[in-house]
Amino acid sequence: MFGANSAALAEPAVLPSAKAAAEVLQEADVAILGEVHDNAAHHQRQAEILRHLAPRAVVWEMITEAQAETLSEPMMSDAEATADALDWEASGWPEFALYAPVFAAAAPARQYGALVPRSEARQALDQGIAAYFGARAADFGLDQPLPEAEQTEREADQMANHCNAMPAEMLPVLVDFQRLRDAALAAAVDQALEETGGPVAVITGNGHARLDRGLAVYLSKARPEVRIQSLGQSEGGAISGDFELLLDSAAAERPDPCLAFGKG
């Protein structure tokens, strides 16, 4: 289990099925279910794991707190109604058909949104993410800068993720934005634990699910006693970061993302 008192992470356990993953994750207070956003197999597995775990709460990277409050169990079994309520078509996320099984499986739980609205994200980056979180910044470790080596490494990752086409002055902003989203996820999980007692499942991308950088780092500062486990979902064995559990699948067919930057 990941937490403030955890030993160094061992090699992740590569599991044969979603059912096998659920059997391990049922011991956790917080089960983080990573994904590659446009991989249908990853969402099918998340849905299967949710059905096995039956968590009391589900935290979503993809929706805001206000959007989560509009959801109900009957609505979430109707993909079209859920997509309409969330204005999914305008969200920028991959098509809702990929996520529909996950929302349906999550329906019996209480829903929490962790997406920072665009207007608030701009404000947070302008004023500083610690100032945005206010009195709770220290709870999640946002009152401290990243160690220099980690900051440098993360900026290099952001440059690579943006096909080496990002102006250098934007890299610290992108790192801060990632930290903001990780902390927002941790804050939503913290609220879900407080209000439901857990267990809590989190639906999020692999980048936020990784234990060496993602939401678990921030959550464990606020709640060191909480048992956190994270599942990463790789494609053809490829994944970045530390996880306790892994499921692998074939890569989804997608265009070269660097084409959007005029590269590829």
Side-chain angles (χ1 to χ4, degrees), residues 14-27 33 41-42 44-53 229 231 233 245-247:
V14 182
L15 300 174
S17 66
K19 182 179 180 181
E23 289 173 354
V24 179
L25 291 167
Q26 67 185 357
E27 300 299 323
L33 308 183
H42 292 187
Q44 292 290 343
R45 288 169 174 169
Q46 288 172 326
E48 184 176 350
I49 291 169
L50 287 175
R51 288 192 291 270
H52 282 291
L53 293 181
Q229 284 195 316
L231 168 74
Q233 296 202 69
L245 309 174
L246 285 178
L247 288 171

Side-chain angles (χ1 to χ4, degrees), residues 87-250:
D87 194 18
W88 194 270
E89 190 172 344
S91 71
W93 293 101
E95 61 178 325
F96 190 78
L98 296 173
Y99 283 89
V102 193
F103 276 94
R110 184 166 174 178
Q111 312 302 318
Y112 291 83
L115 183 66
V116 180
R118 291 176 185 174
S119 59
E120 290 187 24
R122 287 193 294 270
Q123 176 187 347
L125 294 172
D126 287 341
Q127 72 183 88
I129 55 178
Y132 174 78
F133 265 79
R136 296 220 65 192
D139 294 344
F140 298 106
L142 291 174
D143 59 329
Q144 299 296 320
L146 293 174
E148 185 176 351
E150 182 179 348
Q151 179 73 29
T152 299
E153 180 183 8
R154 292 180 67 156
E155 288 183 17
D157 286 349
Q158 288 291 344
M159 179 64 85
N161 292 341
H162 291 84
C163 303
N164 297 311
M166 188 61 59
E169 62 270 19
M170 284 298 300
L171 299 177
V173 178
L174 293 173
V175 173
D176 276 353
F177 185 52
Q178 192 77 357
R179 292 186 74 197
L180 172 66
R181 295 173 70 186
D182 284 326
L185 281 159
V189 174
D190 179 62
Q191 181 182 354
L193 287 168
E194 182 69 25
E195 294 178 351
T196 72
V200 178
V202 184
I203 303 300
T204 188
N206 285 331
H208 298 297
R210 56 191 287 179
L211 294 174
D212 54 329
R213 291 185 186 175
L215 75 98
V217 172
Y218 302 86
L219 181 61
S220 67
K221 293 181 185 298
R223 287 184 175 260
E225 78 286 357
V226 166
R227 299 170 298 171
I228 306 167
Q229 284 195 316
S230 184
L231 168 74
Q233 296 202 69
S234 53
E235 292 187 319
I239 194 168
S240 297
D242 293 337
F243 302 87
E244 287 181 317
L245 309 174
L246 285 178
L247 288 171
D248 190 43
S249 70

